[in-house]
Amino acid sequence: MKAILTVLGKDKVGIVAKISSVLADNSCNIEDISQTIMDEIFSMIMLVTIDEEQINFNTLKTLLSQTGDKIGVQISLQQENLFNFMHRI
Amino acid sequence: MFISHKEILETVSMLQKQSLDIRTITIGINLLDCIDDNPSKLKQKIYKKITAKAKNLTAVAEEIQSKYGVPIINKRVSVTPIAALVNAGSFTDITPLAVMLDKAAADIGIDFLGGFSALVHKGFTKGDRLLLSSIPKALSSTERVCASIGVATTKAGINMDAVKLLGDIIKDTAAATADRDGVGCAKLVVFCNIPEDNPFMAGAYHGFGEGETVINVGISGPGVIRSAIAGNKSAGLSELAEIIKKTAFKITRVGELVAQEAAQRLGVSKGIVDLSLAPTPTIGDSVAEILEEMGLEKCGTHGTTAALALLNDAVKKGGAFAASATGGLSGAFIPVSEDSAMAEAAADGVLSLSKLEAMTAVCSVGLDMIALPGDISSENISAIIADEMAIGIINNKTTAARLIPVPGKTVGQRADFGGLLGNTPIIATSKYSAAEFINRGGRIPAPLRSLTN
């Protein structure tokens, strides 16, 4: 399953590293990544492939949310199809 | 990335900051096969069918919510009009049937079940009369059951005997729930041109033209439209209509995706997406605030009908392109108590009953969630309904009335219905009587569909 991971919060050292390690530990492949900083708000978006035989989507969501709480950023994980549906005809 | 960074952040912002949600996933269930002239057997069959067909509704909605990060606020059931099921048999009071529907709704974890309904636009059957007479007791002894009555259609005209009867029924229902400001009436809607596939309560029922089971989805998102307008302060009205259309398209696509997935997971047909902007009492989730963002100092002032017409039409145009099948009520809702900015405008006196009536001529749906003085006569309630039905038959549109005469309260006081039903001022009505007109009874004939001046 392909999903979009969104990170929003104050920029600090180690955000990418910490999130990437959660993904790597759970066999998720990062296919694309982009980040910007606007008005001191850090935003990062990743396109990830989740191997559902290795990790359940909801479990991964919870793990990421806990990681977000620890480093003080908000992390969302949503299936990619939502964005295709909304933004492409 | 196929989708741009900006587009992804737009979606996330809609969901996290602008209250974008799916207001309801409603499963429509045909109950005609439950008909039995033995009341207890009928009750058992209905309970069994509803709980079997809708048992996975809540779980499926939660799975979809988690997968896409889109809140799905309500899970609901609509059923075949109950009046059609009680024509046979020895029923005298069908309140026990309503109580059983309430239990079925509670057992499957949903907040409302619609279909305690009758279609009486041309006349009454035995079942219709039974249902109508049971409404005050049924709605006061249940929490989740919603009633809707079709009293008019463009092709049939208005059944004024039914309109007259409903004035009394509404007063009695308010009296039966007087300890909660007459909240029973919040679960009763009177319709002209009632849609068969509406997913929204309190007016949802599973129409006779529908299949066995069907999933209908109601979208929401007034906050998203308001934000889009707020970001374009200098836009002319043509440009504004384009902005609303594009935003409505995106919102509706979410509804389409959820409808497709819910139908597939539940193994039932996908019905329609209802393109409605449904406000809640939460600040920022308001249709009145959209109109104010468009440039009106206060909702209800001159220009409100025009602004609402633009909004309603643009939402439909954007939404219709986004969904494979649209239906239900589709438009901007103006439920006064459920929209905090609208309730505030009513308290300020700028949003009057007359202005609301004018607004219903250009939007979905009608005079909705309006608190009236408790001492209003039943004939004047009927007359307010008749006015609203007349707008519907002449303009070939759905109109409705959900009126709540608040026992013991009058203009200057407020009613509190709790939760999503909101808190609202009592609205002033005319001091003059329409009793003689209403007591004539009979029917207002179907209108001519030409010479449209």
Side-chain angles (χ1 to χ4, degrees), chain B residues 195-240:
Chain B
E196 295 196 320
D197 50 12
N198 163 25
F200 285 102
M201 296 296 168
Y205 81 99
H206 185 72
F208 295 108
E210 297 290 313
E212 184 62 21
T213 46
V214 66
I215 283 290
N216 296 318
V217 166
I219 60 160
S220 185
V224 181
I225 302 278
R226 189 180 73 97
S227 289
I229 296 171
N232 291 275
K233 294 256 179 236
S234 59
L237 292 175
S238 314
E239 196 186 333
L240 210 54

Side-chain angles (χ1 to χ4, degrees), chain B residues 10-320:
Chain B
E10 184 188 5
T11 298
V12 171
S13 176
M14 283 179 180
L15 290 163
Q16 293 179 359
K17 293 187 188 156
Q18 298 157 16
S19 311
L20 172 61
D21 56 49
I22 295 297
R23 186 51 45 86
T24 181
I25 296 186
T26 304
I27 182 165
I29 304 171
N30 165 44
L31 295 182
L32 286 171
D33 57 343
C34 298
I35 291 177
D36 198 302
D37 54 12
N38 179 323
S40 46
K41 277 193 186 158
L42 172 70
K43 264 172 50 181
Q44 282 167 16
K45 284 186 192 172
I46 292 178
Y47 179 84
K48 207 171 149 191
K49 183 148 189 193
I50 292 172
T51 49
K53 293 282 182 189
K55 70 172 187 283
N56 295 327
L57 179 63
T58 306
V60 162
E62 279 164 9
E63 281 167 25
I64 296 172
Q65 172 170 307
S66 172
K67 187 172 165 186
Y68 295 114
V70 177
I72 298 173
I73 308 299
N74 298 306
K75 281 70 73 176
R76 292 167 172 173
V77 168
S78 64
V79 298
T80 305
I82 295 295
L85 310 180
V86 294
N87 281 299
S90 52
F91 300 94
T92 48
D93 171 16
I94 57 168
T95 303
L97 201 51
V99 172
M100 183 279 303
L101 290 171
D102 206 41
K103 181 174 170 3
D107 290 352
I108 54 173
I110 60 165
D111 68 336
F112 283 124
L113 181 149
F116 199 74
S117 306
L119 306 177
V120 296
H121 42 277
K122 283 186 94 173
F124 304 94
T125 63
K126 177 188 153 195
D128 295 332
R129 287 201 184 275
L130 199 52
L131 183 125
L132 284 163
S133 63
S134 301
I135 284 177
K137 205 166 149 200
L139 295 187
S140 58
S141 39
T142 58
E143 293 295 323
R144 297 173 173 82
V145 175
C146 293
S148 52
I149 310 295
V151 300
T153 67
T154 296
K155 287 191 181 297
I158 308 173
N159 179 350
M160 289 297 289
D161 292 327
V163 170
K164 174 174 157 50
L165 199 55
L166 278 156
D168 293 322
I169 289 169
I170 288 170
K171 286 279 279 189
D172 292 346
T173 304
T177 48
D179 56 332
R180 287 175 291 157
D181 281 343
V183 74
C185 298
K187 297 179 286 174
L188 169 59
V189 198
V190 185
F191 271 99
C192 170
N193 294 324
I194 184 169
E196 295 196 320
D197 50 12
N198 163 25
F200 285 102
M201 296 296 168
Y205 81 99
H206 185 72
F208 295 108
E210 297 290 313
E212 184 62 21
T213 46
V214 66
I215 283 290
N216 296 318
V217 166
I219 60 160
S220 185
V224 181
I225 302 278
R226 189 180 73 97
S227 289
I229 296 171
N232 291 275
K233 294 256 179 236
S234 59
L237 292 175
S238 314
E239 196 186 333
L240 210 54
E242 284 300 308
I243 291 163
I244 296 170
K245 259 164 59 179
K246 286 177 188 163
T247 311
F249 174 85
K250 290 174 190 169
I251 297 172
T252 310
R253 290 298 283 168
V254 181
E256 174 73 10
L257 178 64
V258 168
Q260 282 181 13
E261 183 125 3
Q264 188 250 326
R265 284 181 184 230
L266 288 164
V268 304
S269 322
K270 175 182 156 291
I272 57 92
V273 177
D274 188 321
L275 318 171
S276 288
L277 294 181
T280 67
T282 309
I283 302 292
D285 202 20
S286 155
V287 169
E289 285 177 5
I290 298 177
L291 303 176
E292 290 168 7
E293 197 66 58
M294 287 167 82
L296 302 173
E297 190 178 356
K298 198 86 166 168
C299 173
T301 188
H302 308 297
T304 299
T305 311
L308 185 58
L310 183 156
L311 170 67
N312 203 53
D313 185 62
V315 165
K316 284 182 193 173
K317 284 172 177 162

